[in-house]
């Protein structure tokens, strides 16, 4: 199993540009998550999904959109990039998320810089 | 508000010694799960240990153990026989039934030879 994969690894955007961060997992996990990690900080939840077709906001959803059309994929969309979105983005998945002991498996991260 | 506080931004320890990383949290929920994650320079997030809030017994995983004090909302991590490969950022986190995992700001641990 490849686990959780993310593309691209690095990206530089200009202010106002848009892009999609890709995330795929091959563990048949129901739950998927997007986090951002700002320098010197912990991770903050952007959006999560409990299954195909179902998404919900996390702690910091503004400026982002997500979709979940399949169990495997959970792309994160930035419509109008702003310098405040410069961060490292992590995708994660778990078998079950609600009230759960289950481990979240993380991807390797995407480092995004908005200039 | 659900928050996690790690009061030690940086710590260092000699190889083979023991070190304890502190974590306090705040939640109004009674049932939740607590975790320590390790993030080495590769950036990969790796689960170190986890604890169910309803269990009084402290979790242990080889050289890693926790001191869970539910009333004090404290969840410290003890690393015994520290190894050079333990050098990393360590994040304390918890999740409640709203699926919102909250992380602390992290403690940078350096193991010195």
């Amino acid at each position: 199993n490849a686990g959780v994969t993310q593309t691209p690894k690095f990206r530089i955007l200009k202010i106002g540009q848009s892009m999609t961060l890709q995330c795929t997992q091959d563990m048949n996990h129901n739950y998927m998550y997007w986090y951002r990690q700002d320098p010197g900080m912990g991770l903050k939840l952007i959006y999560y999904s409990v299954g195909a077709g179902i998404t919900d906001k996390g702690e910091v959803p503004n400026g982002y959109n997500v979709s979940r059309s399949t169990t495997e994929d959970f792309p994160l969309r930035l419509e109008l990039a702003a310098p405040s979105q410069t961060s490292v983005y992590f995708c994660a998945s778990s078998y079950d998320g609600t009230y759960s002991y289950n481990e979240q498996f993380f991807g390797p991260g995407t480092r995004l810089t908005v200039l | 508000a659900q928050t996690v506080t790690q009061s030690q931004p940086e710590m260092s320890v000699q190889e083979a010694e023991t070190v304890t990383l502190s974590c306090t949290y705040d939640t109004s929920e009674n049932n939740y799960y607590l975790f320590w994650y390790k993030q080495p320079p590769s950036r990969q997030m790796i689960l170190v240990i986890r604890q169910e809030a309803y269990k009084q017994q402290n979790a242990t995983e080889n050289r890693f153990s926790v001191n869970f004090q539910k009333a004090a909302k404290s969840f410290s991590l003890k690393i015994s026989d520290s190894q050079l490969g333990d050098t990393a950022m360590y994040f304390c986190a918890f999740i409640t039934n709203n699926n919102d995992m909250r992380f602390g700001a992290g403690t940078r641990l350096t193991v010195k030879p």
Side-chain angles (χ1 to χ4, degrees):
Chain A
N1 286 351
V4 180
T5 57
Q6 292 182 237
T7 57
K9 286 187 169 55
F10 305 93
R11 184 72 185 269
I12 298 175
L13 281 182
K14 294 183 179 178
I15 295 172
Q17 285 186 319
S18 62
M19 78 164 293
T20 299
L21 281 65
Q22 301 291 345
C23 175
T24 300
Q25 54 91 9
D26 63 359
M27 296 174 283
N28 202 31
H29 283 169
N30 295 317
Y31 286 70
M32 295 188 75
Y33 312 82
W34 273 107
Y35 294 92
R36 60 178 287 172
Q37 184 181 26
D38 298 331
M41 301 295 288
L43 280 69
K44 291 191 176 181
L45 184 66
I46 305 171
Y47 270 96
Y48 67 94
S49 170
V50 304
I54 306 170
T55 63
D56 210 343
K57 296 178 181 179
E59 186 182 2
V60 290
N62 291 343
Y64 307 94
N65 280 301
V66 294
S67 60
R68 183 100 181 268
S69 57
T70 66
T71 300
E72 295 79 18
D73 301 306
F74 190 41
L76 177 71
R77 179 84 177 161
L78 283 71
E79 290 294 349
L80 291 170
S84 61
Q85 293 177 304
T86 294
S87 191
V88 179
Y89 291 84
F90 288 95
C91 180
S93 72
S94 64
Y95 178 72
D96 188 4
T98 303
Y99 201 43
S100 171
Y101 190 64
N102 285 305
E103 176 181 356
Q104 289 189 19
F105 293 84
F106 286 83
T110 295
R111 183 179 294 279
L112 176 67
T113 302
V114 182
L115 300 175
Chain B
Q2 299 189 142
T3 59
V4 181
T5 302
Q6 293 179 247
S7 58
Q8 306 150 315
E10 294 190 27
M11 293 192 72
S12 63
V13 64
Q14 291 295 134
E15 195 175 6
E17 298 288 307
T18 296
V19 64
T20 299
L21 280 56
S22 301
C23 173
T24 58
Y25 59 92
D26 188 24
T27 179
S28 57
E29 300 291 331
N30 192 46
N31 293 307
Y32 45 88
Y33 297 89
L34 295 151
F35 305 86
W36 278 97
Y37 278 88
K38 168 185 177 181
Q39 187 180 43
S42 66
R43 243 173 32 197
Q44 184 70 44
M45 294 288 286
I46 302 164
L47 179 66
V48 174
I49 196 165
R50 51 191 160 182
Q51 172 83 40
E52 296 151 291
Y54 65 85
K55 283 191 176 178
Q56 291 187 338
Q57 185 174 4
N58 290 323
T60 62
E61 286 285 344
N62 301 315
R63 298 183 295 107
F64 300 88
S65 61
V66 298
N67 183 5
F68 174 48
Q69 303 288 330
K70 190 173 183 179
K73 295 182 180 175
S74 170
F75 183 59
S76 61
L77 173 70
K78 185 171 83 170
I79 306 174
S80 304
D81 186 25
S82 297
Q83 301 175 358
L84 296 177
D86 295 334
T87 292
M89 285 289 290
Y90 287 81
F91 293 97
C92 176
F94 76 93
I95 190 167
T96 65
N97 60 358
N98 66 357
N99 292 310
D100 190 353
M101 180 91 98
R102 294 295 172 110
F103 287 80
T107 296
R108 183 177 301 280
L109 176 67
T110 302
V111 180
K112 298 179 178 179

